[in-house]
Amino acid sequence: MKIVVIGQGYVGLPLAITAARCGYDVVGYDTDVRKIDSLKAKKSFIEDITDSDLVEAIDTLNYAPSSDCDELEDFDFAIITVPTPLKDSLPDLTYVQNATELVGKYLKKDATVVLESTTYPGTTTDFVVPILESTSRLSAKSDFYVGFSPERIDPGNKQFNFKNTPKIVSGINQESLERIERFYASIVDTTFAVSTPNEAELAKLIENTFRHVNVALINELAIYANLLGINVWESIDAAKTKPFGFMPFYPGPGVGGHCLPIDPSYLSYQVKLKVGETFKFIELANELNHTMPSYVVKRVILGLNKRKKALNGSKVLAIGVSYKPNTSDTRESPAIAVINQLAGLGAEIEVVDPLVKQNNNLSCCNFVDLTEEAIGSSDIVLILSPHDVIDLNLISKHGSYIFDLRRVIYGDNVEHL
Ligand SMILES: NC(=O)c1ccc[n+]([C@@H]2O[C@H](COP(=O)([O-])OP(=O)(O)OC[C@H]3O[C@@H](n4cnc5c(N)ncnc54)[C@H](O)[C@@H]3O)[C@@H](O)[C@H]2O)c1
């Protein structure tokens, strides 16, 4: 069976490699020629896939990365994993549209199309199906199969990966659902079927909105706990000893990546459009999480002030610029917002990030190696995204003032968010 995966990013690449490992012929198609060249050279750009995974997939399995759309010819299964960003704060389905038009061009009778990109309910049925029908001149009622299966991958997570995370599956009709469930059941450990793509699309948005709202809640709580002189981290540790009805969330510099800052807005957009109401929880969570970088900057200013130093001219060593530890993904990273705000107020900033190394949005600072000298000469070490490879002992030993936003270091020289 020939599978084509449209988009070879954080979602599409692990999916394509897993399908190849399960014996399928897989074309990993992407319009980004640099990514495809890198994959062909067996150089991965994603932490969850190693170079040797690519060597295995290309040399001994049937995985073929390609930017040639003719490679889609004769596919049995097309899976769309392209970005779903916001444009002017509104959902932008341009990538999904382009990918669907391309798939429609190569769609043949009895083939199946699955959308995995996170999006608002109704996209598969009201947006993807009409495009497929008009570009292929086939009918979704009788000629081909369509469904939605949200991706839940958590890049950098060592316990849960594509294979052992249950996969929600759906189809626009029973035949579509059966085919889609059969396919995913052959590549992941567990599937969970829902009645229509709408429920599957909403399920993904519930997951991300739940996290977004709870992160905002704990961030706001952290601000007030600090003002009340209470250690919020210790309180969370205590609260989580309750074995039911509580799930811990931790404060941080804000939310980033391709999910939390974006996906809930897909849901609030649709509620506004279809029901005419404001989804208040989402709006509030957006606002609270968005202001966290400014709060972090305020705390840095206060911390330096306590040490009789001004932020202007102070040397800041920023540790980690990705949106969370153990990934190189810097999309919407709050760490970048914090660093740019500090630089705008006159701080001299050096950045340590062995996973990122350079970033176009950080022209204000130099990337340096983590050395005793770099740590010892800074007025403040700011722990933003502490990857496992970062030597925290070295920081703890040589930092005079460490502001740790993730509570990974303890000591008299350390302040937590
Ligand atoms: N990154 C995550 O952790 C994650 C987790 C779950 C779901 N998602 C969702 O999955 C989708 C993809 O996210 P991602 O992180 O993999 O994005 P990504 O940017 O890493 O990868 C998407 C890829 O699609 C390619 N692309 C764009 N238009 C294309 C087209 N017309 N044809 C072929 N390729 C095209 C891009 O070049 C890119 O390489 C989004 O909807 C996202 O919300 C992401």
Side-chain angles (χ1 to χ4, degrees):
M1 188 150 96
K2 178 171 174 178
I3 313 287
V4 294
V5 182
I6 314 294
Q8 290 293 275
Y10 286 94
V11 168
L13 183 56
L15 165 66
I17 301 291
T18 308
R21 283 202 181 116
C22 293
Y24 292 105
D25 292 341
V26 183
V27 172
Y29 173 78
D30 203 295
T31 43
D32 186 334
V33 178
R34 275 178 317 165
K35 276 191 180 166
I36 293 300
D37 285 347
S38 171
L39 293 174
K40 282 182 176 164
K42 297 157 195 163
K43 292 264 167 264
S44 178
F45 39 82
I46 285 173
E47 292 76 38
D48 295 346
I49 298 294
T50 62
D51 293 351
S52 51
D53 289 334
L54 291 175
V55 171
E56 178 207 9
I58 293 172
D59 291 351
T60 64
L61 304 171
N62 288 325
Y63 168 65
S66 178
S67 51
D68 176 0
C69 53
D70 283 340
E71 296 282 344
L72 271 68
E73 191 83 53
D74 252 352
F75 74 80
D76 298 295
F77 241 86
I79 306 172
I80 299 173
T81 66
V82 296
T84 41
L86 296 174
K87 191 174 176 190
D88 300 328
S89 306
L90 297 175
D92 175 11
L93 289 183
T94 315
Y95 296 98
V96 173
Q97 178 173 349
N98 292 341
T100 309
E101 282 170 358
L102 184 71
V103 168
K105 207 174 131 198
Y106 291 92
L107 186 62
K108 61 175 189 185
K109 211 167 177 316
D110 288 334
T112 305
V113 181
V114 183
L115 178 65
E116 284 213 6
S117 302
T118 308
T119 182
Y120 52 77
T123 306
T124 307
T125 311
D126 303 337
F127 188 79
V128 169
V129 168
I131 296 174
L132 289 175
E133 288 186 322
S134 68
T135 46
S136 68
R137 294 168 192 272
L138 295 171
S139 162
K141 283 204 175 72
S142 52
D143 299 328
F144 61 93
Y145 306 95
V146 188
F148 181 81
S149 178
E151 184 45 63
R152 298 162 133 177
I153 204 159
D154 180 19
N157 190 322
K158 299 205 170 64
Q159 190 185 1
F160 292 107
N161 51 40
F162 176 77
K163 199 164 183 319
N164 66 6
T165 304
K167 196 92 173 85
I168 297 171
V169 289
S170 69
I172 55 164
N173 48 35
Q174 190 56 29
E175 298 77 25
S176 295
L177 173 62
E178 279 166 17
R179 280 174 190 246
I180 291 166
E181 184 160 30
R182 206 178 314 130
F183 166 70
Y184 281 109
S186 73
I187 64 169
V188 300
D189 297 343
T190 318
T191 56
F192 184 87
V194 293
S195 23
T196 78
N198 286 353
E199 281 75 29
E201 288 159 336
L202 182 60
K204 172 71 188 177
L205 295 180
I206 292 176
E207 291 166 14
N208 285 354
T209 302
F210 173 81
R211 191 161 172 76
H212 188 50
V213 165
N214 279 289
V215 169
L217 169 68
I218 214 72
N219 277 337
E220 191 179 26
L221 198 65
I223 294 171
Y224 293 132
N226 179 262
L227 290 172
L228 293 169
I230 299 169
N231 184 332
V232 72
W233 299 90
E234 208 184 319
S235 298
I236 298 168
D237 284 345
K240 78 177 187 200
T241 60
K242 187 178 180 186
F244 49 88
F246 183 80
M247 181 186 281
F249 286 83
Y250 299 96
V255 293
H258 192 342
C259 293
L260 297 199
I262 295 171
D263 301 346
S265 297
Y266 268 68
L267 184 54
S268 56
Y269 161 82
Q270 208 210 24
V271 168
K272 188 85 190 166
L273 190 77
K274 295 267 163 94
V275 189
E277 298 283 345
T278 299
F279 201 132
K280 296 183 266 312
F281 259 107
I282 293 178
E283 298 305 321
L284 185 60
N286 281 342
E287 190 188 318
L288 288 167
N289 285 329
H290 192 69
T291 55
M292 280 313 282
S294 307
Y295 173 70
V296 169
V297 170
K298 186 174 149 195
R299 289 277 300 270
V300 170
I301 293 170
L302 292 174
L304 287 169
N305 191 49
K306 232 189 257 172
R307 290 159 180 83
K308 301 192 189 312
K309 290 179 182 176
L311 174 62
N312 194 347
S314 278
K315 221 176 136 194
V316 178
L317 187 65
I319 309 294
V321 293
S322 53
Y323 80 93
K324 65 172 186 177
N326 299 320
T327 174
S328 60
D329 192 347
T330 54
R331 291 177 293 184
E332 317 283 332
S333 173
I336 294 180
V338 169
I339 291 168
N340 279 315
Q341 284 188 32
L342 290 171
L345 292 168
E348 290 170 22
I349 302 178
E350 290 187 329
V351 165
V352 173
D353 196 320
L355 301 188
V356 177
K357 302 218 175 78
Q358 69 94 33
N359 184 284
N360 292 342
N361 296 320
L362 285 173
S363 51
C364 62
C365 45
N366 293 326
F367 278 69
V368 297
D369 290 334
L370 186 66
T371 60
E372 190 181 321
E373 214 260 299
I375 301 166
S377 64
S378 22
D379 296 296
I380 172 170
V381 181
L382 187 58
I383 311 276
L384 291 155
S385 281
H387 308 305
D388 289 350
V389 290
I390 287 172
D391 186 349
L392 297 176
N393 284 333
L394 196 72
I395 297 174
S396 165
K397 203 162 151 207
H398 300 288
S400 56
Y401 168 35
I402 301 163
F403 184 24
D404 177 5
L405 311 184
R406 308 283 189 173
R407 197 186 51 163
V408 289
I409 301 186
Y410 300 84
D412 293 343
N413 53 347
V414 182
E415 183 181 325
H416 292 138
L417 186 66

